[in-house]
Amino acid sequence: METEMGFSRFALFLFTIALLSSPVLSDLVLSKVDRRIYLTSQIVRYTATLRVENEGSELVSEVLLAFPELQAKNLAYLTVSVNEGKGKQKVSTDDLPIEVVSPKNMPPAVSFYSVTLPKGLAPGDSLTLDVMAVFTHALQPFPEKITQADIQLVVFQDSAYYLSPYAVKVQSLSVKLPEARIESYTKLENTKVHGSEIKYGPHEDLPAFSYSPIGIHFESNQPFSNAQEVEREIEISHWGNVQITEHYKLIHGGAQSKGEFSRLDFQARPNVRGASAIRYLVATLPPRAHSVYYRDEIGNISTSHLWSDSKKTELLIEPRYPMFGGWRTAFTIGYGLPLQDFLFQSEGKRFLNITLSSPMVELVIDKLIVKVVLPEGSKDISVSTPFPVKQWQETKISHLDIDGRPVVVLEKTNVVPEHNKYFQVYYKFNKLSMLREPLMLISGFFFLFVACIVYTRADISISKSSASYLAKQQWEEVQAAIQQVESIINRCLATHDKLEASLRDLSRTGDVQACKAARKTADGLLKDLSKELKPLLAFLQSSPSASQILPKVEDLVAKEKELQERVMTKHSTVVDAYERKSAGKDIENRVALQQQKITALKQEVDDLMEYIDEI
Amino acid sequence: MFKVAVTLVVSAGLAVCCAMMAVLIALVASSPTKGWSGRSLSLLDPTYASKYIPIIASVSEHQPPTWPSYFMDINVLAFLVPAGIIACFSPLSDASSFVVLYIVTSVYFSGVMVRLMLVLAPAACILSGIALSQAFDVLARSIKFQLPGFPTNSEVDAGDSNPITVEAKNNAPKTDKTGEPSKDRPSRKNKKKGKEQAERPSVKGKPEKKRLLVLPMGASILALLLLVLLSAFYVVHSVWAAAEAYSAPSIVLTSYSHDGLHVFDDFREAYAWLSHNTDVDHKVASWWDYGYQTTAMANRTVIVDNNTWNNTHIATVGTAMSSPEKAAWEIFNSLDVKYVLVVFGGLVGYPSDDINKFLWMVRIGGGVFPHIKEPDYLRDGQYRIDSEATPTMLNCLMYKLSYYRFVETGGKGFDRVRQTEIGKKYFKLTHFEEVSIHNSPLDGSDIQAETSKKQDSGKVEEIKIKI
């Protein structure tokens, strides 16, 4: 602590030298300044109410705000608005435009921001400005290294007087601390402590660039969750989904952990052993978020919880291990959102209206990269952001893309939750382009099948007169003929079955006439079939390539013929016997021998058919 | 002339072949194990690995299986296989004798090593299939015979449907084979024929035997239902075994309790910590089981991993784990190790922790470095960590890293895996420092692992991973 204070004194010395030599800028005077600084979390929030009076004789349209350079480099967010109400009925208008300026003849180590007033401030007039500023990395842990059992102490430095290029008539400062425990603070006259609040002032009639450094050393066990880099990818699919993927590289930005970490101690007394550890992070996702996941490079992280209602979806994620000072981790969360909640149309253009920054609560992001992946075929892309960001365009090649999807990349450093505002990406997109990829797939398969069909149907042999080609063609003809022979034989066999069936009917009904008629039709059919067989057999006999199979085919035909005859004889025998009213046993004895032969022949025919099939 | 040339070529070729064979034989013979690897040799002689190569014996997959593991893996097949073997002997053909040989050898191999249960599985499936098919055959035939509308005489073929035979059955029993079923269409012919051919000899040859096989109607229906039920339950068991025993990742453990499913993700927690919070060049020493996991998930160089070809390296780590703290630190320092990872399950009863693997560290370490003697760690032939433990045991690095500050967890220092109170409760680490302990947020039902870190100052830090 001694060194800290020593440093502060040295800084004061430098400042005093610098400030004494500086000129008074203009005729503006701040008649009243109320500053409040909130140190309740790792993000320092600062509000100031300035009563500005024009005591000169000219119209003034700009007001300068000054911050010491040390603070300015941590300044993440700054807005100024005109407060038109009186007392507590504050009516803030829109934010005023601000730009960084560096006027001449100003003391060094001070940064200036010029606020353009909506209408000039006439001589003698006055107005009230509300200034809101957010600083990151403004709390320095001291001591810098702590063990698991230690509490985290931080130092905050600022000036007791409002640093301004204008003279200030009345001013006061109040600093709100997280807990009642204050290690030490700079005591000036008019310093009061109320619980966890320290008040400086009121101070009266101070010249321009008055500076009186103060330091506050206090306990802050808020987790210093600091994302060194967040990459956010918003991918729009016109099939109805906005897919968001966020990659985090997280570090605990508080006091470094030293010594050993005992999970047991941490679990037994988490508020004492590891009070400043990051145990979890909370993300507030939009309502109707779905398919939420939380993972890192080695797989799903099982410690997360999700609640959802109609207004929001709340995701609580725990890192794989509680994070102590200086520890790092990396993870990815992702979720899908319904398209109609975020994509709108106006004046022939579509626009995406979505929040820019990470949904994590109280997270400081050193570098935020937002990538908006638009569907393939989007044109006329323009972006509108609520504050200046670095932007450029890329293309992303994904599945089935031809020329890639246009990607709008936005980059912003030093991001705080206040930056989580809506931004818009305008683009033109023809709905028919949606069909591009499915059609591509369909046509791809279609052409594949067409190619297969063409390949199997087309005759693509080079030489039409070569011996092998001719042999192949002949063989195909022979095969076709054999197939025909087989089908005829099958029909013959079916006819035999019909005859057998008629015999069965006979034994049941005793209708001899019907049975005879069946034999007649079968006879005619079989004759027709044998006629059909003749040309086929003749062809096979003439074809040289059928020589191998011909004996078998002939054999088959011969056997079938014999079978035919046997079946016919059997049929007529049975019918005759019936007509003569023979006993069932007699008939059976008579046909038994024939039946045996028929079965054997049938077996042979089957075997032959099988053999031919195999060829 | 031609003959001479042929003889010359053939004899020269034979000579070359013989020479090559001789060289091969000499090479094989010159190696101490006759060209067999340790794992193959331990198949022939199940005691080989435990006698000569402890690293092979230390792998749990190489242990002989227990009877419950047979039942767990093949379940009802264990009872069907003997029936299948009997079925293979009636009648014994070339194919069925091959199946019998197959099952006999695979049963032997699976008896030597648990992992060879995989060899047994197909053989057991084939034989159980045969057994089931025979049983179904007999039962279905018995039912078929007793169905109304079929000839009561068992000598008539069951498949009879010839109209004349049907008509004739009232008159007199037929003795010939007209009962041959009429042919179906050629498409169904093949299947049918195979069955017929199988049936025919039995019908023709021994009608008496057939009559014996006919069981009572009710019994066969009941047996058929029971067999179907058994098969159905086997499917359920197989799905469960595939999910629990073969698909569950051993790196993420789960437990069911009255308030639902608990996930113990502590291994990955420790690996993620190493990956994000240690220097890329830092090396991690652990028992070789965690080698590949550390390489892949923590992205850190390890001293030994699951490739067990280099026995000496594993023995070095085993020696360090079984040495006193100072000697261990010297070994790790020479290996440029910054972190030592130790898995400890005594707090929650996770049995595959490093203390239970410790006997292999001692054996493998002692196999290469003779100053590690196994009897120093044994009391009455057992590894003990309670008050009966030997001083060498109580002072070795593994004991110290595992039980460092263990007594603070529950008062008495009761190890839930070993079911005993530890021998030495209060001690300090002189050369190592605990870096982190990771354990799940469950009182008394989690597992522990530890990692250690070495500092430049000559101290080594330790990370405990309590799961």
Side-chain angles (χ1 to χ4, degrees), chain A residues 259-265 267 296-302 320-322 326-330 490 493-494 497 500 504 507 570 578 584-585 588 591-592 595 599 602-603 606-607 609-610, chain B residues 162-165 167-168 171 174 178 180 183 185-186 189-190 193 263 265 268-269 271-273 275-277 296-297 347 404-405 408-409 433-441 448 461 466:
Chain A
E260 58 198 39
F261 159 61
S262 166
R263 185 74 188 241
L264 269 171
D265 289 345
Q267 232 132 54
D296 64 6
E297 67 230 309
I298 56 174
N300 174 53
I301 306 172
S302 49
R320 283 199 187 267
Y321 38 87
W327 286 14
R328 288 155 201 276
T329 193
N490 274 335
L493 291 175
D497 281 356
E500 297 274 359
R504 239 169 289 153
S507 71
K570 178 191 161 191
Y578 237 89
K585 195 187 166 190
E588 211 156 285
V591 296
Q595 182 64 41
T599 316
K602 230 176 208 177
Q603 183 67 41
D606 276 349
D607 284 346
M609 295 268 279
E610 208 170 298
Chain B
N162 195 299
I164 298 169
T165 322
E167 194 192 28
N171 304 327
K174 288 183 59 77
T178 44
E180 192 73 49
K183 280 283 178 288
R185 293 268 52 81
K189 168 187 64 184
N190 291 349
K193 202 194 296 169
V263 178
D265 209 354
R268 286 197 300 170
E269 176 181 331
Y271 294 137
W273 188 88
S275 160
H276 291 294
N277 295 302
M297 292 197 161
L347 186 66
Y404 176 60
R405 293 176 66 205
E408 293 168 31
T409 60
E433 252 180 64
E434 194 172 58
V435 181
S436 71
I437 306 179
H438 301 274
N439 74 326
S440 298
Q448 266 190 345
E461 281 184 35
K466 297 205 173 171

Side-chain angles (χ1 to χ4, degrees), chain B residues 228-302:
Chain B
V228 170
L229 208 66
L230 187 73
S231 312
F233 274 121
Y234 181 57
V235 171
V236 174
H237 170 84
S238 300
V239 170
W240 174 81
E244 291 294 315
Y246 295 101
S247 308
S250 59
I251 197 163
V252 182
L253 308 160
T254 52
S255 82
Y256 291 93
S257 69
H258 53 91
D259 52 342
L261 175 78
H262 288 284
V263 178
F264 303 118
D265 209 354
D266 302 18
F267 278 105
R268 286 197 300 170
E269 176 181 331
Y271 294 137
W273 188 88
L274 279 171
S275 160
H276 291 294
N277 295 302
T278 59
D279 197 274
V280 190
D281 296 332
H282 287 171
K283 295 180 185 62
V284 179
S286 66
W287 192 233
W288 62 267
D289 300 23
Y290 316 109
Y292 283 160
Q293 289 180 356
T294 313
T295 311
M297 292 197 161
N299 193 20
R300 291 292 171 270
T301 309
V302 291

Side-chain angles (χ1 to χ4, degrees), chain A residues 418-598:
Chain A
E418 275 75 6
H419 283 117
N420 206 1
K421 291 183 172 165
Y422 283 91
F423 76 109
Q424 292 81 34
V425 179
Y426 295 88
Y427 62 100
K428 277 187 179 158
F429 178 72
N430 188 349
K431 274 240 164 181
L432 283 176
S433 303
M434 275 166 68
L435 297 173
R436 204 146 100 180
E437 288 175 6
L439 283 180
M440 227 157 79
L441 271 184
I442 291 167
S443 55
F445 277 105
F446 178 73
F447 285 120
L448 177 72
F449 291 137
V450 165
C452 289
I453 291 167
V454 168
Y455 178 74
T456 49
R457 299 286 162 114
D459 187 355
I460 50 169
S461 53
I462 298 165
S463 156
K464 305 276 181 203
S465 56
S466 77
S468 65
Y469 177 74
L470 288 176
K472 197 182 150 205
Q473 256 187 344
Q474 269 178 357
W475 177 239
E476 270 165 17
E477 280 167 22
V478 167
Q479 270 184 326
I482 287 173
Q483 260 175 13
Q484 277 175 328
V485 170
E486 278 191 339
S487 77
I488 289 170
I489 300 281
N490 274 335
R491 272 152 72 193
C492 289
L493 291 175
T495 323
H496 300 169
D497 281 356
K498 262 185 209 154
L499 281 175
E500 297 274 359
S502 74
L503 277 184
R504 239 169 289 153
D505 282 346
L506 177 67
S507 71
R508 207 176 56 234
T509 60
D511 189 354
V512 179
Q513 291 312 312
C515 201
K516 274 184 179 168
R519 189 167 68 201
K520 211 164 209 175
T521 48
D523 204 34
L525 206 64
L526 287 172
K527 273 190 185 128
D528 285 351
L529 287 173
S530 64
K531 258 182 218 160
E532 274 180 50
L533 261 179
K534 264 176 199 154
L536 288 170
L537 279 176
F539 167 74
L540 285 177
Q541 274 157 358
S542 66
S543 171
S545 48
S547 58
Q548 229 180 347
I549 202 167
L550 188 61
K552 291 281 172 190
V553 175
E554 280 174 341
D555 201 16
L556 174 69
V557 172
K559 290 269 190 276
E560 204 279 327
K561 198 127 218 162
E562 203 186 332
L563 179 64
Q564 235 175 64
E565 281 159 15
R566 298 267 177 196
V567 169
M568 281 299 179
T569 354
K570 178 191 161 191
H571 197 266
S572 51
T573 322
V574 172
V575 172
D576 283 353
Y578 237 89
E579 275 177 329
R580 274 181 270 133
K581 312 266 188 238
S582 302
K585 195 187 166 190
D586 285 351
I587 301 175
E588 211 156 285
N589 284 339
R590 212 172 294 166
V591 296
L593 203 68
Q594 284 174 350
Q595 182 64 41
Q596 230 170 347
K597 276 189 185 149
I598 287 172

Side-chain angles (χ1 to χ4, degrees), chain B residues 165-447:
Chain B
T165 322
V166 171
E167 194 192 28
K169 94 188 158 185
N170 300 325
N171 304 327
K174 288 183 59 77
T175 45
D176 67 348
K177 293 297 166 284
T178 44
E180 192 73 49
S182 62
K183 280 283 178 288
D184 279 295
R185 293 268 52 81
S187 57
R188 282 172 54 199
K189 168 187 64 184
N190 291 349
K191 253 197 290 176
K192 186 102 185 184
K193 202 194 296 169
K195 217 192 274 173
E196 277 159 19
Q197 276 163 352
E199 261 172 41
R200 212 179 294 159
S202 69
V203 175
K204 275 180 187 160
K206 10 187 173 161
E208 270 77 23
K209 200 187 173 192
K210 183 99 180 268
R211 200 179 295 161
L212 283 180
L213 280 176
V214 177
L215 300 169
M217 179 85 162
S220 9
I221 290 178
L222 190 71
L224 214 55
L225 285 178
L226 283 178
L227 275 183
V228 170
L229 208 66
L230 187 73
S231 312
F233 274 121
Y234 181 57
V235 171
V236 174
H237 170 84
S238 300
V239 170
W240 174 81
E244 291 294 315
Y246 295 101
S247 308
S250 59
I251 197 163
V252 182
L253 308 160
T254 52
S255 82
Y256 291 93
S257 69
H258 53 91
D259 52 342
L261 175 78
H262 288 284
V263 178
F264 303 118
D265 209 354
D266 302 18
F267 278 105
R268 286 197 300 170
E269 176 181 331
Y271 294 137
W273 188 88
L274 279 171
S275 160
H276 291 294
N277 295 302
T278 59
D279 197 274
V280 190
D281 296 332
H282 287 171
K283 295 180 185 62
V284 179
S286 66
W287 192 233
W288 62 267
D289 300 23
Y290 316 109
Y292 283 160
Q293 289 180 356
T294 313
T295 311
M297 292 197 161
N299 193 20
R300 291 292 171 270
T301 309
V302 291
I303 301 301
V304 287
D305 62 24
N306 305 44
N307 179 346
T308 51
W309 278 56
N310 189 345
N311 199 9
T312 319
H313 240 78
I314 294 175
T316 312
V317 173
T319 307
M321 293 293 190
S322 6
S323 303
E325 222 178 316
K326 188 166 186 299
W329 178 80
E330 278 161 6
I331 292 170
F332 283 142
N333 194 30
S334 69
L335 291 173
D336 194 24
V337 168
K338 298 278 184 199
Y339 293 87
V340 178
L341 183 128
V342 174
V343 177
F344 175 60
L347 186 66
V348 292
Y350 172 65
S352 18
D353 67 348
D354 281 352
I355 294 280
N356 276 3
K357 291 169 185 167
F358 184 60
L359 80 157
W360 297 110
M361 301 185 201
V362 173
R363 274 186 207 166
I364 294 168
V368 177
F369 302 99
H371 69 274
I372 302 289
K373 296 181 189 68
E374 195 176 359
D376 293 348
Y377 298 86
L378 296 174
R379 177 82 71 197
D380 308 328
Q382 277 189 314
Y383 281 89
R384 301 184 69 152
I385 43 96
D386 54 7
S387 48
E388 295 282 299
T390 60
T392 325
M393 180 78 190
L394 293 181
N395 283 318
C396 75
L397 181 69
M398 180 49 69
Y399 180 91
K400 283 195 157 184
L401 292 186
S402 293
Y403 293 110
Y404 176 60
R405 293 176 66 205
F406 181 57
V407 70
E408 293 168 31
T409 60
K412 278 183 173 172
F414 184 79
D415 187 323
R416 289 164 60 121
V417 173
R418 266 65 59 174
Q419 290 297 324
T420 176
E421 219 169 282
I422 60 171
K424 195 164 147 190
K425 292 176 184 171
Y426 302 96
F427 56 88
K428 281 212 161 78
L429 293 172
T430 53
H431 293 75
F432 291 79
E433 252 180 64
E434 194 172 58
V435 181
S436 71
I437 306 179
H438 301 274
N439 74 326
S440 298
L442 265 184
D443 281 3
S445 56
D446 26 25
I447 310 158

Side-chain angles (χ1 to χ4, degrees), chain B residues 44-103:
Chain B
L44 302 180
D45 173 12
T47 58
Y48 179 85
S50 50
K51 266 190 279 185
Y52 302 108
I53 318 175
I55 194 153
I56 290 174
S58 79
V59 181
S60 59
E61 286 171 351
H62 294 163
Q63 308 294 327
T66 53
W67 288 115
S69 80
Y70 271 108
F71 190 70
M72 159 86 188
D73 282 338
I74 61 175
N75 204 255
V76 293
L77 303 194
F79 306 109
L80 290 174
V81 164
I85 294 174
I86 294 167
C88 279
F89 278 101
S90 57
L92 189 67
S93 65
D94 286 354
S96 63
S97 55
F98 169 75
V99 171
V100 171
L101 284 178
Y102 182 16
I103 188 83

